[in-house]
Amino acid sequence: ATGRGRARRCWGAASGRPALTAVLACAAARFASAMPYTSLADVPMGCYNYGYVYSPALTNITGQPFIEASAITCQARCAGTPGCAYFGYWGHNKQCWLGGKDAVALVSQTQGGVSGPADCATAVVACLDSTLPGPGFPG
C-alpha cells in the first residue's frame, strides 16, 4: 500500500475523523511493522553507513530531530514516514533525522553518526556472487 493508502486506513473511510486513540494505535502498528530488525547484527551488510549523514533533512514534517532508542527504530520511523528515503541517527544524543529522496550522503561533522535508506535491500548488490570478480581477476 502507498503512504496515502496507509493513512486512509488509519483515518477510516466512514467518518474521516477518527478518535485520537484509534489514530495513535494505527500509527503504532504501522511503525512496529516497519521494524524488520531487532539488532544491528540482523541488518544486511552494506545497508548502514557509519560516519555519514544525509542532507537536506525533510522539511514537510515537524518534530525533527526525533528522539529514538536506536538506529533501527530511527530507520523504522523513516520507513513509516511518507516522503522519507534516508535516515541519520546519533547514539550519544538519540537524535533521529529524516531525509527525502533528494538527500545526498555527506561526511558527518560529528562522530557516531549511523545513516542509511528507509528500507534495506534483502541482498546488497555489491555482495552478490554475480557482481564479484571471477577466478581470473585481475588477469
Side-chain angles (χ1 to χ4, degrees):
T2 64
R4 287 187 175 175
R6 288 190 301 257
R8 209 171 283 124
R9 282 196 301 269
C10 286
W11 282 95
S15 68
R17 292 192 62 196
L20 179 58
T21 55
V23 171
L24 292 176
C26 183
R30 283 182 37 216
F31 182 70
S33 68
M35 265 183 25
Y37 315 114
T38 55
S39 78
L40 287 177
D42 298 332
V43 176
M45 186 186 325
C47 181
Y48 285 3
N49 304 309
Y50 297 90
Y52 289 84
V53 60
Y54 282 90
S55 183
L58 279 175
T59 57
N60 64 338
I61 57 172
T62 57
Q64 289 207 71
F66 299 102
I67 302 302
E68 291 293 342
S70 69
I72 294 169
T73 58
C74 182
Q75 182 185 34
R77 177 179 286 272
C78 181
T81 301
C84 186
Y86 301 100
F87 74 94
Y89 178 76
W90 283 262
H92 70 281
N93 59 10
K94 310 272 189 233
Q95 286 188 355
C96 173
W97 290 86
L98 307 181
K101 64 178 175 61
D102 296 329
V104 295
L106 303 171
V107 174
S108 177
Q109 298 298 310
T110 57
Q111 290 185 341
V114 178
S115 60
D119 295 305
C120 293
T122 54
V124 179
V125 174
C127 298
L128 295 176
D129 287 340
S130 62
T131 60
L132 296 175
F137 182 80

